[in-house]
Amino acid sequence: DSGVTQTPKHLITATGQRVTLRCSPRSGDLSVYWYQQSLDQGLQFLIQYYNGEERAKGNILERFSAQQFPDLHSELNLSSLELGDSALYFCASSVELEWAGELFFGEGSRLTVL
Amino acid sequence: LAKTTQPISMDSYEGQEVNITCSHNNIATNDYITWYQQFPSQGPRFIIQGYKTKVTNEVASLFIPADRKSSTLSLPRVSLSDTAVYYCLVGDRSNYGGSQGNLIFGKGTKLSVKP
């Protein structure tokens, strides 16, 4: 158990819909990272937050947004969903702003768009 | 942005030593090399990190030659439970925004251990 909690574990929805994925980082961790993993694309970095502020951005679509709240939990919002958005979405956390080498990953949220 | 190249897949048998090599020809002076392990439907898990020469922990060893243009993850006496995808990452661990190499996993090496 990494200490990172993600909900929901599974989510099935239809194209055009909007969903929110939630992540609670390890106690004391200030940085939260979001990743998308699909079969053909591998593990793709989406975005990083540190103590409520966006710090790094990867291949995140404009239809996707994220935020980190004062209690440090984070949410990833996916809107106007397409079939290609079906994937595992992982959240990871680390203590520091600077990446010190070890990210702690949650179990992921599996999104299926029908 | 340092890029890495790993074999797509490898096969091994229980009890053998497995060496997975990662090429990173454009590695920068401040870059560290980190390896993660991922089981199906689980998040990646940190294995080991190094800068040069050799690093060893209870799980694996990491060998880095003097020119640092490649690294080798060594798994001693693998078992069936070592079947997983292994990722090599290269990045500057003090640079959270400028260098995202430390955040890019790629597709990794799928290791299959057979009985």
Side-chain angles (χ1 to χ4, degrees):
Chain A
D1 183 5
S2 67
V4 177
T5 303
Q6 290 189 244
T7 57
K9 289 191 180 345
H10 301 276
L11 188 58
I12 301 175
T13 188
T15 55
Q17 296 298 306
R18 172 190 171 95
V19 298
T20 297
L21 309 180
R22 181 188 170 102
C23 168
S24 294
R26 292 188 321 156
S27 177
D29 283 1
L30 300 178
S31 270
V32 170
Y33 309 75
W34 284 98
Y35 285 84
Q36 177 193 56
Q37 186 170 40
S38 53
L39 283 176
D40 57 345
Q41 291 296 322
L43 199 60
Q44 299 283 320
F45 168 66
L46 297 179
I47 198 164
Q48 177 203 4
Y49 279 82
Y50 176 80
N51 205 21
E53 294 187 15
E54 180 185 308
R55 288 298 189 175
K57 214 166 187 176
N59 301 320
I60 188 167
L61 299 173
E62 287 191 8
R63 300 183 286 109
F64 297 179
S65 64
Q67 56 183 328
Q68 187 180 27
F69 295 86
D71 66 354
L72 302 177
H73 91 272
S74 178
E75 293 181 356
L76 179 66
N77 300 297
L78 314 175
S79 62
S80 302
L81 287 169
E82 302 175 359
L83 296 178
D85 297 327
S86 295
L88 258 174
Y89 290 85
F90 288 106
C91 168
S93 71
S94 66
V95 173
E96 302 167 355
L97 172 59
E98 296 86 6
W99 174 83
E102 185 167 4
L103 301 181
F104 296 88
F105 282 80
E107 294 293 310
S109 293
R110 183 175 294 279
L111 172 66
T112 302
V113 182
L114 301 175
Chain B
L1 185 65
K3 293 185 178 179
T4 61
T5 303
Q6 304 175 233
I8 294 174
S9 63
M10 293 182 67
D11 292 332
S12 182
Y13 291 92
E14 281 191 294
Q16 289 187 334
E17 178 185 73
V18 171
N19 296 309
I20 305 174
T21 297
C22 178
S23 297
H24 27 80
N25 292 320
N26 298 322
I27 190 167
T29 302
N30 294 330
D31 285 343
Y32 280 71
I33 301 155
T34 308
W35 286 80
Y36 280 79
Q37 174 192 55
Q38 185 181 26
F39 298 113
S41 298
Q42 293 187 24
R45 183 179 68 130
F46 173 92
I47 301 176
I48 198 166
Q49 182 186 70
Y51 183 80
K52 61 180 179 181
T53 62
K54 176 184 174 182
V55 180
T56 297
N57 61 23
E58 65 277 6
V59 177
S61 294
L62 178 59
F63 298 92
I64 306 168
D67 66 4
R68 303 201 325 123
K69 293 184 182 298
S70 67
S71 59
T72 299
L73 175 72
S74 181
L75 305 172
R77 298 180 296 282
V78 295
S79 64
L80 296 176
S81 62
D82 292 316
T83 294
V85 177
Y86 293 82
Y87 298 94
C88 166
L89 282 72
V90 172
D92 181 347
R93 61 187 233 177
S94 67
N95 189 343
Y96 61 89
S99 171
Q100 292 185 1
N102 50 16
L103 302 173
I104 298 176
F105 279 72
K107 297 191 176 182
T109 297
K110 185 174 183 179
L111 173 65
S112 297
V113 180
K114 303 174 183 178

